[in-house]
Amino acid sequence: MGRFTEDMGRLRDEIESERMARQTLIADTRQEVTDAAHAFISNLKSSVETLQTNFRETHADMAQAARADRNAFLAQLGGTVADLQRQTVTLVNDLAGERSAGRQAWRGAASTSAAPPAARAKSDTAPKTWHQPPAQHKAPVKGAGRAPKGV
């Protein structure tokens, strides 16, 4: 064999060897990328699970704190409303006493006591109405309050 034939054989062996090395490199790179991707995905899943767990715990704590704040506010509001109702009842009773005293003074009756009249008892069975039922209304009389014609 000649030198040219030997060089061509050696070149063919080198090409084949480099092709095998390239295929091995591609396979190794694919495996490394796949392993890295699986590790990244696993790490990402773990991070997301941790984040969700922390979120649930924080959300539960926030909900409990908000519930406690709401209940405290409602308790305070109930006390404030009860105080306002008591003050309103007192003011209404004082006004009723002043109206009664004013009526007596208007009519010329001597007031013997400066104390306001006792508060009316509340009816627990029926709600208080500010108007009379329609059956108790009286129809106005024609000509009421006017002087007769020709006078």
Side-chain angles (χ1 to χ4, degrees), residues 1-14:
M1 287 208 237
R3 186 163 157 98
F4 180 72
T5 307
E6 287 176 9
D7 286 344
M8 290 303 280
R10 194 181 68 237
L11 182 61
R12 185 182 65 81
D13 289 341
E14 285 178 9

Side-chain angles (χ1 to χ4, degrees), residues 36-104:
H38 285 296
F40 174 76
I41 290 170
S42 175
N43 186 23
L44 187 62
K45 282 182 181 179
S46 174
S47 297
V48 168
E49 288 172 356
T50 303
L51 184 66
Q52 287 177 335
T53 301
N54 290 340
F55 175 76
R56 280 188 211 101
E57 290 172 359
T58 303
H59 186 263
D61 292 344
M62 288 172 52
Q64 185 177 6
R67 189 177 305 115
D69 289 346
R70 217 174 20 255
N71 289 339
F73 171 75
L74 289 175
Q76 179 187 6
L77 181 64
T80 303
V81 169
D83 289 344
L84 288 173
Q85 286 174 334
R86 282 191 290 274
Q87 291 173 2
T88 301
V89 167
T90 302
L91 289 173
V92 166
N93 289 338
D94 290 348
L95 182 62
E98 289 177 15
R99 283 180 53 202
S100 176
R103 279 194 204 111
Q104 288 176 357

